[in-house]
DNA sequence: CGTAGTATTGATAGAGCTCAATTTACGTGG
DNA sequence: CCACGTAAATTGAGCTCTATCAATACTACG
């Protein structure tokens, strides 16, 4: 099975609902688009966010944006493509921590360290915007509510990480794979509402394994098993969820993207 | 760039160095003590932090402060004792996410959800301070730098979680246990400099298992093995590290608590 | 068309789990 | 201070799940 150009997927479709006329709508700030889904931003906030995305960098598939244990400490916002963060262990094995899509802010964990705690690499060709800690600092000093929003997004990510921690620590290989399949679908769908139960996986089985704490071989067997159970269908890197309820049950999956509550946020400035 | 001793960061039975005379020094705000290790707080910040800790609650060992999937959304600061957060899976198995010591802020992940994403329970008798989202919101609106500090602390925790994710996903049972032993020692030592290589474990083997993704039985065997390797000695719940270098090697352990950098923080208000 | 990365499949080994039986430690009441 | 009851730790035996090793088949791409 070969994974298809995931690129084709992200740039336009992410904000597909915001297309204007026949041409692609390109937001001045992708990050503002994300935050704008949660709260209504003021003009001042919007323009401050725009300044984060003035400097862009294009990445080839496989390119490394930030390497673990190296200095740098830049921050990034993903404009297009898929990016992942991972750590490498002494024996060369890799643990993928997180997949990031357009609109994600990267490098926040590096804020507090002199050297990066994790590697950030492009999974597909990608475009990111680069800014530094000082810029970020000014942003949240001037716009406390944006600071609060970044904190809130960090918590969403934290919960996603602890869910995966629980999955890897306490569930079977099949459940972990099923959970990843569901999570990827949900996150892609958040970006593109036209995705319902079919999507391009965009990951090799080795990458799935490195994210779920399994070997590529065993991932292959688990995918087959999930397929034989009639929960999904696979064709050329495209996954179709046939029985969402069954898959959710098999995965022990909790969809957290439902009951968000940002009503506690400070008021607009 | 300002480097911080992480020790200062991780609170514990803490503040031993702040005894005044023969009596214990009780800070008006434990959280302010933690933040104060990173930056110099203004009077305004200090008094705002003090207001977070006006309402205290005493907990018996085993008491549950917040239950997963229940509403509430309160925030807490640990004053004394050890607290843990965990999630329960459908089959009843538990994944312990994190152990928290005095000075820790709890419930932040719950900020953004209507129902709590994790359970918080007292591992020992403990005292916590309680405040609500609105109070927190006002705090960070009025004092953006405190918001930034909370974000920074959240990142430290995130990195700790991803390190554990990597440990559970990619290392052997022995390595996970060894890593936990080292991490607990380091965090306790941060709180009490008199701890060097011997400490009270304070956890049952089942709890160690639930934190590392192992069964209690296997934890027992791994502890024995680590002991037989001459890396530690055990007696009545007390662990003594005999060969720190060897233990670190066995654990694949990275001590992140070294090179913090908070120089990017906004200036004092 | 050849090449390299990826996927698939089979056979075998081993790490960690489960079940079960003791033993030890410890808080409680007498 | 001692007896008792319960939680925790320990140990053994057998088994399952997942890793490992190895061979083969795809598939995109130059």
């Amino acid at each position: 099975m070969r994974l298809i150009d995931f690129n084709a997927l992200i740039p336009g479709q992410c904000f597909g609902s915001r297309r204007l006329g026949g041409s692609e709508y390109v937001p001045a700030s992708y990050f503002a688009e994300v935050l704008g889904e949660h709260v209504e931003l003021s003009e001042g906030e919007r323009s401050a966010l725009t300044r984060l995305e003035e400097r862009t960098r294009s990445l080839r598939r496989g390119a490394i944006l930030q390497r673990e244990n190296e200095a740098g400490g830049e921050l990034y916002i993903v404009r297009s493509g898929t990016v992942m963060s991972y750590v490498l262990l002494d024996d060369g094995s890799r643990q993928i921590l997180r997949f990031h899509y357009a609109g994600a802010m990267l490098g926040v964990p590096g804020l507090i360290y002199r050297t990066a705690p994790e590697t950030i690499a492009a999974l597909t060709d990608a475009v990111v915007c680069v800014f530094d800690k000082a810029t970020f600092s000014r942003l949240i000093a001037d716009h406390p509510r944006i600071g609060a929003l970044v904190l809130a997004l960090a918590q969403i990510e934290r919960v996603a990480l602890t869910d995966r921690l629980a999955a890897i620590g306490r569930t079977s290989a099949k459940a972990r794979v099923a959970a990843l399949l569901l999570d990827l679908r949900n996150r892609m769908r958040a970006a593109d509402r036209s995705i319902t139960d079919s999507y391009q996986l965009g990951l090799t089985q080795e990458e799935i394994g490195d994210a779920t704490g399994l070997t590529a071989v065993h991932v292959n067997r688990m995918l087959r098993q999930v397929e034989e159970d009639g929960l999904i269908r696979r064709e050329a890197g495209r996954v179709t969820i046939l029985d969402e309820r069954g898959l959710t049950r098999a995965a022990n999956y909790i969809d957290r993207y439902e009951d968000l509550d940002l009503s506690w946020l400070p008021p607009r400035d």
Side-chain angles (χ1 to χ4, degrees), chain A:
Chain A
M1 176 199 305
R2 169 60 187 170
L3 304 174
I4 307 298
D5 183 15
F6 196 64
N7 256 334
L9 195 81
I10 300 292
Q13 296 178 6
C14 271
F15 302 103
S17 59
R18 291 189 191 76
R19 280 161 193 257
L20 298 179
S23 71
E24 196 66 48
Y25 167 63
V26 177
S29 164
Y30 276 58
F31 193 55
E33 296 290 315
V34 171
L35 298 188
E37 288 175 12
H38 299 291
V39 299
E40 199 165 328
L41 295 169
S42 70
E43 261 322 301
E45 287 169 336
R46 250 173 217 292
S47 72
L49 288 170
T50 299
R51 283 194 291 281
L52 293 186
E53 300 182 35
E54 286 169 345
R55 198 154 45 102
T56 68
R57 190 183 300 172
S58 290
L59 303 172
R60 287 288 180 72
R61 179 178 200 279
I64 289 181
L65 197 50
Q66 176 183 85
R67 202 182 299 268
E68 199 181 344
N69 296 323
E70 286 187 2
E74 287 176 319
L75 293 143
Y76 311 94
I77 285 166
V78 181
R79 277 205 157 231
S80 67
T82 307
V83 176
M84 65 176 168
S85 48
Y86 61 84
V87 294
L88 289 177
L89 306 196
D90 292 348
D91 65 354
S93 62
R94 173 176 71 169
Q95 175 67 51
I96 294 179
L97 304 174
R98 182 88 175 147
F99 300 110
H100 310 276
Y101 301 103
M105 182 181 281
L106 308 182
V108 183
L111 266 180
I112 46 166
Y113 296 102
R114 279 184 305 141
T115 62
E118 60 196 46
T119 301
I120 302 176
L123 207 50
T124 65
D125 289 353
V127 177
V128 300
C129 304
V130 188
F131 57 99
D132 59 22
K133 292 181 183 181
T135 305
F136 179 74
S137 180
R138 252 177 283 118
L139 173 71
I140 61 177
D142 294 346
H143 302 281
R145 201 173 64 142
I146 291 181
L149 279 164
V150 171
L151 178 62
L153 292 179
Q155 297 313 310
I156 292 177
E157 198 168 288
R158 179 205 144 113
V159 172
L161 287 170
T162 56
D163 281 346
R164 191 119 62 84
L165 187 63
I168 295 182
R170 288 295 184 217
T171 76
S172 70
K174 202 206 287 200
R176 294 182 219 173
V177 170
L180 188 67
L181 291 178
L182 277 167
D183 194 51
L184 289 174
R185 197 280 311 259
N186 289 346
R187 295 184 63 202
M188 286 183 191
R189 178 163 145 164
D192 178 357
R193 300 303 296 182
S194 74
I195 293 174
T196 54
D197 48 50
S198 179
Y199 62 99
Q200 280 308 129
L201 192 42
L203 299 174
T204 66
Q205 293 178 359
E206 183 170 11
E207 286 157 352
I208 295 174
D210 285 346
T212 54
L214 301 169
T215 59
V217 172
H218 205 57
V219 166
N220 183 287
R221 292 192 229 270
M222 293 303 101
L223 283 172
R224 164 158 314 285
Q225 211 171 306
V226 173
E227 188 174 28
E228 282 171 356
D229 290 349
L231 303 178
I232 64 167
R233 188 172 54 217
R234 295 179 301 152
E235 57 238 320
R238 171 164 287 272
V239 171
T240 303
I241 295 175
L242 298 177
D243 176 0
E244 177 152 356
R245 189 165 305 263
L247 192 60
T248 302
R249 205 167 335 102
N252 231 294
Y253 185 75
I254 313 160
D255 188 354
R256 307 271 193 188
Y257 301 105
E258 288 173 343
D259 64 350
L260 291 186
D261 165 27
L262 292 180
S263 61
W264 55 274
L265 280 171
R268 283 178 60 152
D269 58 12

